[in-house]
Amino acid sequence: MRIIISNMAAVEYETKDNTSTDLSDTSVLSDETVKTIEKHKTSGIPLQSSWTFWLDKAISGTTVEEYKENLTKIYTVNTVQSFWAVFNNIPNASAVQVRYSYHLMRDERYPLWEEPVNQNGGTWRLKCHKSDTEKIWKEIVLAAIGEQFTDCVAEGDEVCGVTVSIREREDLVQVMT
């Protein structure tokens, strides 16, 4: 079994030697990584919620249905070990091409405001200098899966997802509540 980012035209990321790789033709997670993740699905330290990694490319003027079709589900994790197996084996946020976004959403929610569970929410937005994006993204992701925002949201609210959007000048990290 291979997990491949598909249906993504010209999804590229830069490698250490400054060459680009088309992610639509590249396995995001190796067979060995998938086996490790599968092994830790029922064993390991459980997360309070499962979380799903998504990837998309920003295309202006798309409908909700077109946006959903453009989304690529990478993997759903439910243990600390499976989280790290995925997070450490997808391209770093700083290596992803401009106009692409990673999302980490609670359960298997889509990163859409039109989803019933997201409709009454809001967003905390942080603009990041390119040199800080990777670190800030990692810290926000860890805070989300570790339920560290609990004291920062109103009673009955929750963090439903986090997003990093790679942009031309400054990147954008968002926390969806």
Side-chain angles (χ1 to χ4, degrees):
M1 176 179 167
R2 298 193 117 169
I3 296 178
I4 299 175
I5 292 180
S6 58
N7 301 326
M8 304 294 292
V11 180
E12 295 183 1
Y13 73 98
E14 291 183 21
T15 59
K16 290 183 184 192
D17 61 358
N18 292 327
T19 61
S20 292
T21 301
D22 184 344
L23 290 180
S24 63
D25 296 328
T26 305
S27 294
V28 176
L29 301 174
S30 70
D31 292 341
E32 184 177 318
T33 301
V34 172
K35 286 178 188 174
T36 300
I37 296 167
E38 293 294 321
K39 183 175 87 176
H40 292 298
K41 267 189 158 181
T42 56
S43 64
I45 301 167
L47 299 172
Q48 286 184 347
S49 297
S50 61
W51 293 85
T52 302
F53 285 93
W54 298 90
L55 176 72
D56 80 82
K57 179 179 182 183
I59 301 171
S60 60
T62 58
T63 66
V64 172
E65 287 308 313
E66 290 169 332
Y67 178 79
K68 269 183 148 174
E69 288 176 19
N70 186 45
L71 276 171
T72 300
K73 180 180 175 182
I74 297 173
Y75 206 88
T76 299
V77 298
N78 60 5
T79 65
V80 172
Q81 291 83 350
S82 61
F83 164 79
W84 284 114
V86 173
F87 191 82
N88 288 335
N89 286 286
I90 59 176
N92 292 329
S94 63
V96 175
Q97 193 176 31
V98 171
R99 307 297 303 159
Y100 283 86
S101 299
Y102 276 133
H103 308 275
L104 182 64
M105 300 298 293
R106 190 178 297 276
D107 305 317
E108 292 195 24
R109 298 175 190 182
Y110 286 98
L112 290 165
W113 289 117
E114 291 78 8
E115 287 291 296
V117 294
N118 298 337
Q119 283 182 348
N120 296 319
T123 305
W124 303 334
R125 296 176 184 211
L126 306 160
K127 284 189 177 180
C128 304
H129 293 285
K130 295 275 185 193
S131 61
D132 299 327
T133 299
E134 219 170 288
K135 181 180 181 183
I136 292 170
W137 169 240
K138 183 178 180 180
E139 294 292 327
I140 294 290
V141 163
L142 292 175
I145 68 165
E147 307 296 337
Q148 298 300 303
F149 293 116
T150 305
D151 295 338
C152 302
V153 294
E155 188 174 329
D157 285 351
E158 67 180 357
V159 169
C160 55
V162 293
T163 297
V164 60
S165 300
I166 308 306
R167 298 297 180 251
E168 198 67 44
R169 294 184 198 128
E170 293 179 318
D171 298 328
L172 184 63
V173 174
Q174 300 177 78
V175 178
M176 297 172 66
T177 61

